[in-house]
Amino acid sequence: MTSTTDELDEVAEQQRFDALIADEQRIEPRDWMPEAYRRTLIRQISQHAHSEIIGMQPEANWITRAPSLKRKSILIAKVQDEAGHGLYLYSAAQTLGITREEMTDALIEGRARYSSIFNYHTPTWADMGAIGWLVDGAAICNQVPLCRASYGPYGRAMVRICKEESFHQRQGFEILYELSHGTPEQKRMAQDAVDRWYWPSLMMFGPSDDASPNSAQSMAWKIKRFSNDELRQRFVGMCVPQFEALGLECPDRDLRYDEETGRWIMGEIDWNEFSEVLAGRGPANAERLRHRREAHDDGAWVREAAAAYAQKMQDRRRFAA
Ligand SMILES: [Fe+2]
Ligand SMILES: [Fe+2]
């Protein structure tokens, strides 16, 4: 008897959920949602949060070596923004019933994924330009549609994040612009950084649509709004005139625009490299995780002190009552 009532309830809840999605309404933490929807969001939002946090490392590497006080303060602000993005996203994931500790443990124990792009090294200052322009640029293409994601806390976090990402992209472009209009050596440095970051930034959109099994379900749930290939097309279209403004060459020598289909025809992306980095065998995977683990251990006293202070305040209120 109870199970039949439960089943009927579940059918009604599913119908309500489907109607909200169909009507472009938002799903909020208090609402019933299918377990697979919840799990998909926890995976996606926590991976996204981890990417913001790990993504601080390749750029933090240059804070002490930035070429001027102005560049240093801009870079500090940018890296700090990424920490904030991580925090909004961890908070959004927590509304789905996972704890911050569980997410952090999964990351530092190597069970969670984060964007492969952050497993590349940053040997020159021009890498700060290439990361801002290409990596944050690709992130914007991916993330602007996420502002309309069906899950409320995720969509709302993305609105603020996207505003900050566009500052990140402009500061990267400006670094490259100055280098590419500087001495021949500076221009070479800019071209070299762009050559190294261009292909990995195209990989950020993920495999082609036919090799991306979860995409269709995410699109049906209106978490994802455009396919990986559509987003990659948009990104390339955005980069082409900017390459011209920078006076730099696009590393994809086969790139051309097909007037008939209105699409960019790109050279072959090295998916082998992508899966190697994804499998933990990229240039800096081990270093990134080691650093994150050390930072977590070094921060233990801060977490303990905050917890002790919160307990003291709670006790004080209890005695006063
Ligand atoms: Fe970010
Ligand atoms: Fe960013």
Side-chain angles (χ1 to χ4, degrees):
M1 182 69 195
T2 319
S3 83
T4 319
T5 318
D6 287 351
E7 276 163 30
L8 283 176
D9 280 354
E10 181 140 344
V11 170
E13 296 284 21
Q14 178 76 50
Q15 281 170 350
R16 188 172 165 272
F17 173 86
D18 293 342
L20 284 173
I21 297 279
D23 197 28
E24 297 286 330
Q25 302 274 336
R26 284 211 144 138
I27 307 300
E28 296 296 339
R30 61 170 184 271
D31 294 329
W32 182 92
M33 60 189 87
E35 206 35 45
Y37 177 82
R38 182 190 300 274
R39 277 201 310 271
T40 297
L41 279 167
I42 288 180
R43 196 193 59 232
Q44 179 170 339
I45 302 173
S46 63
Q47 280 180 9
H48 192 163
H50 298 326
S51 304
E52 302 282 355
I53 296 297
I54 296 283
M56 295 163 73
Q57 292 187 36
E59 288 174 291
N61 177 37
W62 274 94
I63 288 176
T64 55
R65 293 177 292 160
S68 69
L69 187 59
K70 180 182 127 188
R71 293 292 180 198
K72 195 192 288 278
S73 52
I74 294 172
L75 190 59
I76 290 175
K78 197 242 181 206
V79 173
Q80 211 165 36
D81 282 353
E82 308 299 6
H85 298 174
L87 297 185
Y88 309 147
L89 289 164
Y90 281 130
S91 302
Q94 280 173 268
T95 64
L96 292 155
I98 187 168
T99 65
R100 179 80 178 272
E101 289 72 24
E102 286 171 303
M103 290 184 275
T104 305
D105 287 348
L107 176 64
I108 61 182
E109 287 165 13
R111 289 181 280 116
R113 280 193 171 157
Y114 57 85
S115 180
S116 315
I117 193 84
F118 302 117
N119 291 314
Y120 291 86
H121 285 124
T122 47
T124 73
W125 169 252
D127 290 319
M128 299 305 97
I131 289 185
W133 180 45
L134 293 170
V135 176
D136 290 87
I140 292 172
C141 285
N142 261 328
Q143 293 174 5
V144 166
L146 287 174
C147 297
R148 295 191 290 125
S150 56
Y151 188 58
Y154 192 29
R156 288 189 289 272
M158 292 318 302
V159 173
R160 167 125 181 223
I161 290 176
C162 284
K163 283 184 188 159
E164 293 176 345
E165 293 302 351
S166 54
F167 149 65
H168 299 170
Q169 192 195 19
R170 276 179 223 176
Q171 66 88 37
F173 182 86
E174 209 238 334
I175 291 174
L176 287 177
Y177 190 89
E178 245 177 66
L179 290 174
S180 65
H181 291 79
T183 64
E185 202 185 346
Q186 285 173 321
K187 186 169 181 179
R188 262 199 309 278
M189 195 199 276
Q191 182 69 56
D192 168 64
V194 163
D195 288 348
R196 284 181 289 109
W197 290 94
Y198 181 76
W199 291 106
S201 71
L202 291 190
M203 295 175 199
M204 285 174 70
F205 297 94
S208 260
D209 298 341
D210 34 348
S212 177
N214 298 327
S215 280
Q217 179 61 77
S218 281
M219 286 175 78
W221 277 328
K222 296 185 181 164
I223 298 171
K224 198 175 163 72
R225 299 279 177 166
F226 300 99
S227 75
N228 295 351
D229 286 330
E230 281 176 292
L231 293 168
R232 196 167 9 243
Q233 283 282 327
R234 193 174 292 190
F235 175 65
V236 168
M238 194 174 81
C239 287
V240 167
Q242 295 181 0
F243 266 111
E244 239 162 79
L246 288 169
L248 295 176
E249 277 187 50
C250 177
D252 183 356
R253 304 283 183 254
D254 298 325
L255 183 67
R256 63 185 174 83
Y257 188 69
D258 183 31
E259 294 284 350
E260 234 165 75
T261 56
R263 294 178 75 79
W264 293 95
I265 314 280
M266 302 171 204
E268 196 64 46
I269 295 175
D270 185 354
W271 291 114
N272 200 31
E273 174 184 326
F274 178 73
S275 32
E276 281 295 291
V277 183
L278 207 62
R281 293 185 288 271
N285 295 57
E287 185 184 325
R288 299 287 180 247
L289 271 192
R290 189 176 57 243
H291 186 88
R292 183 67 197 87
R293 232 174 268 138
E294 282 167 9
H296 187 67
D297 291 345
D298 288 349
W301 70 273
V302 179
R303 295 189 296 278
E304 282 161 24
Y309 182 73
Q311 184 64 49
K312 193 167 109 182
M313 287 295 121
Q314 202 183 7
D315 290 347
R316 196 173 283 175
R317 272 195 301 274
R318 210 176 36 230
F319 289 132

